[in-house]
Amino acid sequence: LKVDISVDDGSRSFTFTSIALHLKASGGSENRQRRLAAVVLLEDYLRTTVNGSGNDKIMVVGDFNDTLGSGADVFAPLADAGLYTIQTEDRYNAGDISFIPSDVLLDHVVTTNAMDVELPGSTTIIPRLDMQMTGYVGQVSDHLPVIVRAPL
């Protein structure tokens, strides 16, 4: 899913593209290779868009089905490109989770450097809604929301 979102806070305005993804689930080398292949294609698309005539303000959100630790190879195309910020890296390093059954952080937000310029002072949070709402996993999701909060 790809959607353009316009932001206007009265003093400035910009449009960015948000891309939602859900990469192949489950362990095993074949599934990991499928995730890596998808991220390689994603990074190629992002690089072509940023370096071309497309909107260079992009935010990728979704379930990467890998952690930044055990799935470092899956994230390598985005980490090594020098064009992106993995917004969830601090949350991963802090031990936060997004996938409740396994207590791991699988859901991530990646932004282009041009998008980062529009988000000064932003923070990434993962509210523990499962601890605030009885039956959250059964009634809502086994994933927690990942939010990039930016002062506008």
Side-chain angles (χ1 to χ4, degrees), residues 120-133:
S122 67
T123 57
T124 303
I125 60 171
I126 304 173
R128 290 304 305 254
L129 298 181
D130 59 319
M131 295 181 176
Q132 300 172 27
M133 178 184 166

Side-chain angles (χ1 to χ4, degrees), residues 83-111:
L83 297 174
Y84 317 105
T85 300
I86 300 174
Q87 297 288 339
T88 45
E89 186 170 14
D90 286 346
R91 302 293 13 113
Y92 172 78
N93 291 335
D96 287 3
I97 68 164
S98 65
F99 184 58
I100 300 163
S102 298
D103 286 330
V104 294
L105 182 56
L106 300 180
D107 304 277
H108 298 278
V109 177
V110 178
T111 53

Side-chain angles (χ1 to χ4, degrees), residues 7 10 13 16 43 48 53 67 77 85 89 104 115 122 125-127 130 134 144 150:
V7 176
S13 64
F16 71 96
E43 197 283 324
T48 300
S53 60
T67 71
T85 300
E89 186 170 14
V104 294
M115 184 67 195
S122 67
I125 60 171
I126 304 173
D130 59 319
T134 303
L144 295 167

